[in-house]
């Protein structure tokens, strides 16, 4: 064999080795993509991530008013049960990931300074509040659902189903642990969860304790309501201001899902409430919007709750509208109730006629008054006279004077339920209230279209099974998570 | 490549949707850097009875893609057209992103050949891909094959009719990484200016982390193949017969995951294993060979049979024994297909419709327990047929006689099923009462359904078809020393099918959802050779 033939071979081999020695690492770091590896290099990222958990309550995705949805396939459509279930776990997932990304170890490793660290501790409390809020929605709507916390790693393992009681206890413990770490109330923290917001959420949980765990805690509800009443918030002198485009200036709102016609756009939220309440012969401009969606009206039973002289009815629209709702598809069946509007208390229109500026009041002081009164009547302590004073405070605002005041004998539990129906109309409390009073299902209380589908033959409503106190777990989720057992009756 | 879209501010579309004029320019660019080096070594002398070939190499491929675009709406003027952006009502939005990927491979191969009669090859590749996280980047993919060219054996010399005959067998493992970039990272996505959140008097742009499987790894397929190549009568008839079995592990799919397990309800992950097996038959023939001016006819025929089965779902993949896939139009989050072990992949997941006098009974199904059920739920849902064809058959023919030539391609699929989503979505009278009614699907005349029933197996239809893909007729003649040819061509000439929708191949994965129909294209022309 001739040695000269090995020479080119040797050169080639050397080239091969040289060429490959530097290029054996296939790793590519994303450059213009923000990932967990570089996201937290910017100190502003912690706030931006926290903002996402708040955003999840108001927006459907990363692109307003629609687009880049948080939840694929369903988010921007209207299957409420399915969307609500996945939204709850989206919120829980975001909060858990925020907590995993902001542990002391992680912050130390990233060299986060002490000022930002203090700020992050507050953010962590807010994330835990928002997780507790979503879990409250979860056990209220669905009952037994999985409990997933920051201790569970991200993956694809289906979580185990927990019980309503266990999640209730978890949420109560969480709220008690964080309520002093939350931001203080004030214009500077508007839109964020404050200490009184945690008290208010605890009050809601205790108020419905008998439903969630079978054991009542009226005293707890009263104590928390009292804590809220003792905080910085005061009743808004103008009831309607609570639902107007400038309701961010209301002194009564404890926690709001914020909306903004320019910067926080969604087709859901208050934009839906305002547009969908307008139709028929109503002039959309009077509500600061560019058109009605011909949707929401009052059931006759809701309309009948209100007495004459009650200023809370001043926004009702009756021209061309009937009281009865004998068919659902026609907007003129049922009294229109454009309670939420895109006009300000000064009479101006909001910043955008399509997307409203009006924030959704999740918790407000007025409800704390009613929780106090109900808990007092149910044996939670406190003073009956005080309860009467609180109820009459709301009545006097509604009637613009003492004409609507009630006396002690009128202060009963059924009255409180009716007053909640009036005061908190369309503020997303009615179902929970009726379940607590044992009236949501069964035949004790019928309302138009109860238990009937839109093509039903009995507009007066029919009795329903007690199993309807809970929503079904989404059918597809039962397949995706074999650990889940469906609620009875579905 | 630069692409510009411009819509003036005074056309109906723009005023109606409120954009009032729009301009969009995109200039995507992609740079691929490839280095391939290999050493090929063949010892000059035979090694034993045959000769050896050795190859070793390295390849490096890097892709760098840059997507730059700018979009503007509310154009104050149309004067600039598609040449530039005039003053606008709201600020134009520029986007600039970079996507990169890398694939590094080491490979080696040894071939051994004894007199072109006995052939053997062993090879191995080691591939590293940027698309997987640390610990999962590298995959090893070995392969081996043997071949026996029987026609070269001395005992075949007495059979001149058989010009070529080769028996071969192989096994090999291949990796698949042809998925999106950065799947192993949780990416944080920012917001558009309309999706901010109010913190006091400030507005914050929220960032959202994506769902992620940080341990995503190579999808790999092991393939067994046994085949025979043949040529008869000096290649007048030739072709191949193959039997194969493919076993794929760590299939990568984007699937829904249990709520609470990840950061969204869908994640891209390795879900399980599947098997494909079948055979292929290929025959090419020069049927007539009339020489110049005579009648010539060549024809090709091929047939493939494939069967598919999902073998298992990885126990740690999603924890479920079934995964629902296949979103359809209508309803919300309605899924029509299932990944279920023991069933073909993407099998339709539907309820068996009950019939009376040949007419479907609305809302009534035959449950798995063989009783009549009034709802389509877990007690009645089952895997039922799948969109993949069991047989694919093709026939092509080319004839020539004097100046005339005629060729065509025929294709058939057998055993595939299609979910007629157009019928299921619009085949009920309820559609008429909507605020914006749609035209109904004529299936409503048979079903009489008042409300939609997406999950009825009524809508899973046989999609078998025979299609004339292509016919060409030509006439060639000389004229003033030049060759001229007149020709006419029809693409998608006709389809014979029992499927009631527009096109049994229209949808993705067998879901026919009003896809824009495939056109029939007629072309005629004259070609001149200079």
């Amino acid at each position: 064999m001739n040695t000269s033939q090995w020479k080119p071979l040797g050169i080639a081999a050397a080239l091969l080795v040289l060429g490959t020695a530097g290029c054996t690492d296939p790793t590519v770091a994303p450059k213009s993509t923000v990932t967990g590896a570089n996201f937290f290099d910017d100190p502003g990222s912690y706030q931006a991530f926290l903002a996402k958990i708040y955003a999840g309550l108001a927006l459907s995705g990363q692109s307003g008013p629609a687009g880049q949805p948080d939840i694929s396939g369903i988010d921007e459509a209207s299957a409420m049960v399915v969307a609500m279930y996945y939204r709850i776990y989206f919120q829980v997932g975001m909060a858990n990931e925020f907590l995993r990304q902001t542990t002391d170890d992680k912050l130390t490793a990233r060299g986060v300074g002490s000022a930002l660290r203090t700020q992050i501790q507050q953010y962590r409390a807010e994330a835990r509040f928002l997780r507790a809020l979503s879990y409250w929605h979860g056990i209220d709507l669905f009952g037994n659902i999985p409990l997933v916390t920051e201790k569970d790693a991200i993956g694809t393992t289906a979580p185990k189903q927990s019980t309503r009681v266990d999640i209730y206890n978890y949420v109560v413990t969480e709220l008690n642990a964080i309520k002093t770490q939350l931001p203080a109330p004030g214009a500077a923290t508007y839109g964020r969860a404050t200490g009184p917001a945690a008290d208010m959420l605890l009050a809601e949980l205790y108020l419905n304790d008998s439903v969630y765990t079978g054991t009542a805690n009226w005293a707890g509800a009263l104590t928390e309501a009292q804590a809220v009443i003792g905080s910085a918030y005061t009743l808004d002198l103008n009831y309607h201001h609570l639902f107007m485009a400038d309701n961010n200036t209301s002194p009564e709102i404890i926690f709001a899902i914020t909306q903004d016609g320019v910067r926080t756009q969604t087709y859901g939220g208050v934009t839906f409430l305002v547009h969908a309440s307008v139709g028929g012969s109503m002039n959309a401009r009077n509500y600061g919007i560019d058109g009605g969606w011909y949707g929401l009206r009052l059931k006759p039973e809701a309309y009948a709750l209100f007495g004459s002289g009650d200023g809370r009815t001043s926004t009702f629209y009756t021209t061309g509208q009937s009281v009865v709702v004998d068919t659902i598809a026609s907007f003129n069946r049922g009294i229109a109730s454009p309670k939420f509007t895109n006009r300000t208390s000064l009479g101006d229109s909001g910043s955008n006629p399509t997307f409203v500026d009006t924030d959704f009041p999740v918790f407000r002081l007025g409800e704390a008054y009613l929780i106090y009164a109900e808990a007092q009547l149910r044996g939670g302590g406190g003073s009956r006279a005080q309860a009467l004073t609180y109820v009459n405070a709301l009545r006097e605002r509604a009637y613009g004077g003492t004409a609507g005041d009630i006396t002690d004998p009128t202060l009963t539990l059924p009255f409180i339920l009716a007053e909640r129906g009036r005061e908190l109309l369309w503020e997303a409390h009615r179902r929970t209230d009726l379940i607590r009073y044992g009236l949501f299902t069964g035949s004790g209380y019928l309302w138009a279209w109860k238990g009937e589908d839109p093509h039903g033959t009995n507009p007066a409503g029919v009795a329903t099974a007690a199993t309807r106190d809970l929503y079904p777990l989404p059918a597809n989720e039962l397949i995706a998570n074999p650990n889940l057992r469906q609620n009875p009756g579905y | 490549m630069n692409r510009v879209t411009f819509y003036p501010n005074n056309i109906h579309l723009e005023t109606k949707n409120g954009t009032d004029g729009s301009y969009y320019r995109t200039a995507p660019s992609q740079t691929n850097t490839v280095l391939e080096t290999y050493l090929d070594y063949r010892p000059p002398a035979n090694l034993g009875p045959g000769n050896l070939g050795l190859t070793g190499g390295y390849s490096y491929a890097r892709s760098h893609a840059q997507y730059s675009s700018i979009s503007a709406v509310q154009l104050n003027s149309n004067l600039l057209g598609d040449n530039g952006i005039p003053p606008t009502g709201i600020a134009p939005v520029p986007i600039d992103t970079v996507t990169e990927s890398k694939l590094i491979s080491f490979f080696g191969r040894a071939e051994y050949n004894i007199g072109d009669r006995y052939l053997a090859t062993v090879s191995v590749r080691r591939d590293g891909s940027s698309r997987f996280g640390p610990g999962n980047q590298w995959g090893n993919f070995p392969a081996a094959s043997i071949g026996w060219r029987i026609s070269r054996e001395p005992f075949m010399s007495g059979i001149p009719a058989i010009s070529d005959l080769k028996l071969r067998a192989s096994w090999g493992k291949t990796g698949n990484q042809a998925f999106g970039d950065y799947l192993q990272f949780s990416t944080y996505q920012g917001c558009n200016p309309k999706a901010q959140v109010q913190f006091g008097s400030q507005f914050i742009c929220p960032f959202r982390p994506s769902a992620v499987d940080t341990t995503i790894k190579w999808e790999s397929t092991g393939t067994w193949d046994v085949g025979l190549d043949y040529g008869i009568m000096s290649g007048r008839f030739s072709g191949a017969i193959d039997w194969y079995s493919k076993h794929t592990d760590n299939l990568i799919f984007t699937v829904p995951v249990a709520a609470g397990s990840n950061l969204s309800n869908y994640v891209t992950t390795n879900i399980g294993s599947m098997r494909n097996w079948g055979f292929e038959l290929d025959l090419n023939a020069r049927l007539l060979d009339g020489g110049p001016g005579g009648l010539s006819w060549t024809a090709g025929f091929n047939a493939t049979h494939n069967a598919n089965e999902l073998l298992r779902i990885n126990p740690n993949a999603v924890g479920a024994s079934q995964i629902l896939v296949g979103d359809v139009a209508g309803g919300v989050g309605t899924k029509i297909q299932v990944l279920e072990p023991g069933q073909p992949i993407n099998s339709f997941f539907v309820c068996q419709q009950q019939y009376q006098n040949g007419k479907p009974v609305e809302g009534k199904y035959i449950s798995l327990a063989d009783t009549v059920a009034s709802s389509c739920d877990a007690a009645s849902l089952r895997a039922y047929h799948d969109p993949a064809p069991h047989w694919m058959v093709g026939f092509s023919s080319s004839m020539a006689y004097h100046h005339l030539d005629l060729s065509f391609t025929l294709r058939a699929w057998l055993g595939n099923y299609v979910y007629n989503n157009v019928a299921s979505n619009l085949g009920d009278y309820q559609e008429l009462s909507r605020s914006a009614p749609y035209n109904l699907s004529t299936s409503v005349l048979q079903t009489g359904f008042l409300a939609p029933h997406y999950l009825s197996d009524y809508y899973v239809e046989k999609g078998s078809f025979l299609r004339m893909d292509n016919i060409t007729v030509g006439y060639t003649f000389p004229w003033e020393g030049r060759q001229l040819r007149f020709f006419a061509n029809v693409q998608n000439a006709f389809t014979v099918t029992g499927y009631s929708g527009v096109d049994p191949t229209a949808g993705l994965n067998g879901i026919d959802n009003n896809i824009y129909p495939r056109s029939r294209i007629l072309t005629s022309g004259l070609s001149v050779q200079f």
Side-chain angles (χ1 to χ4, degrees), chain A residues 16 20 23-27 31-32 34 36 48 62-64 68-72 155-157 190 263-265 477 482, chain B residues 37 58 98 100 102 130 137-138 186-192 194 196 200 206-208 259 261-262 264-265 316-317 319:
Chain A
L16 192 70
T20 60
C23 301
T24 57
D25 182 7
T27 306
K31 283 184 178 159
S32 66
V34 182
Q62 290 300 90
S63 187
Q68 301 177 334
D70 295 334
I71 305 169
S72 304
T156 50
T157 311
Y190 182 75
R263 291 161 294 198
T264 314
Q265 295 185 355
E477 185 61 17
Chain B
T37 63
Y58 163 85
V98 171
E100 293 186 327
K102 246 195 239 180
S130 64
Q137 288 175 329
W138 292 95
S186 184
T187 52
Y188 284 75
Q189 187 181 22
C191 74
N192 80 347
K194 300 168 185 173
Q196 301 182 75
F207 270 70
R208 175 183 69 189
S261 59
N262 213 303
S264 186
N265 59 337
N316 60 348

Side-chain angles (χ1 to χ4, degrees), chain A residues 399-437:
Chain A
Y399 280 79
T402 55
D405 279 13
I406 60 163
T407 54
D408 183 87
T410 314
L411 187 67
T412 61
L413 285 173
F415 180 85
I416 298 290
L417 177 65
E419 190 63 23
R420 284 184 70 94
R422 291 183 282 264
E423 178 70 19
L424 302 172
L425 180 78
W426 287 5
E427 291 179 57
H429 293 286
R430 189 64 174 170
R431 173 182 160 275
T432 306
D433 291 345
L434 289 173
I435 290 172
R436 185 170 70 252
Y437 275 79

Side-chain angles (χ1 to χ4, degrees), chain A residues 38-292:
Chain A
N38 57 7
F39 180 59
F40 294 103
D41 293 351
D42 179 350
S45 289
Y46 295 97
Q47 191 184 44
F49 190 176
L50 177 71
K52 179 61 209 173
I53 319 176
Y54 284 102
L57 297 173
L59 298 162
S60 58
Q62 290 300 90
S63 187
Q68 301 177 334
D70 295 334
I71 305 169
S72 304
I74 48 168
D75 197 45
E76 305 197 334
S78 57
M80 289 305 163
V81 174
V82 178
M84 192 68 200
Y85 187 86
Y86 288 113
R87 174 57 62 180
I88 286 166
Y89 282 98
F90 177 81
Q91 291 294 96
V92 167
M94 287 296 119
N96 286 341
E97 181 64 4
F98 184 85
L99 295 170
R100 278 189 289 262
Q101 292 294 343
T102 53
T103 58
D104 283 338
D105 289 349
K106 286 248 163 98
L107 299 183
T108 306
R110 295 188 199 120
V112 173
S114 63
L116 181 57
R117 218 174 243 260
T118 310
Q119 187 66 63
I120 290 171
Q121 288 317 308
Q122 197 175 60
Y123 291 165
R124 284 176 62 89
E126 290 174 74
R128 289 165 72 180
F129 169 85
L130 291 167
R131 181 174 61 179
L133 179 70
S134 284
Y135 271 131
W136 171 47
H137 296 149
I139 59 172
D140 189 73
L141 297 166
F142 299 104
N144 298 334
I145 53 172
L147 176 63
V148 187
T149 73
E150 74 273 24
K151 295 190 178 70
D152 300 296
I154 292 183
T156 50
T157 311
K160 297 251 182 307
Q161 190 166 18
S162 193
T163 65
R164 205 179 201 187
V165 175
D166 284 347
I167 295 178
Y168 173 91
N169 290 331
Y170 174 77
V171 168
V172 166
T173 309
E174 279 285 288
L175 289 169
N176 280 311
I178 57 159
K179 65 180 180 179
T180 57
Q181 301 167 25
L182 289 166
T189 55
Y190 182 75
R192 293 168 62 185
T194 59
D199 287 321
M200 196 68 192
L201 180 47
L202 279 167
E204 303 274 10
L205 285 157
Y206 293 144
L207 183 68
N208 296 289
D209 198 347
S210 56
V211 175
Y212 300 148
T213 72
T215 318
N217 187 359
W218 310 117
L222 188 131
T223 308
E224 294 298 334
Q226 211 156 24
V228 173
I229 294 166
S231 70
Y233 299 96
T234 58
L235 279 197
D236 199 317
L237 297 176
N238 175 5
Y239 176 77
H240 298 292
H241 181 221
L242 287 163
F243 316 105
M244 289 181 156
D246 58 347
N247 63 352
N248 56 313
T249 61
S250 170
E252 184 176 336
I253 294 177
I254 299 163
F255 181 61
I257 297 172
T258 60
Q259 321 264 284
D260 187 88
V262 176
R263 291 161 294 198
T264 314
Q265 295 185 355
T266 169
Y267 287 104
V270 185
T271 289
F272 171 80
L273 287 174
V274 174
H275 282 273
S277 306
V278 173
S281 60
M282 302 158 79
N283 183 350
R285 285 170 193 275
N286 294 342
Y287 306 97
I289 52 170
D290 51 11

Side-chain angles (χ1 to χ4, degrees), chain B residues 30-55:
Chain B
Q30 187 163 353
T31 312
N32 294 319
T33 312
V34 178
L35 170 73
E36 295 258 13
T37 63
Y38 65 93
L39 271 178
D40 209 2
Y41 176 62
R42 282 167 205 279
N46 277 0
L47 210 70
N51 51 47
L52 179 71
L54 293 172
T55 306

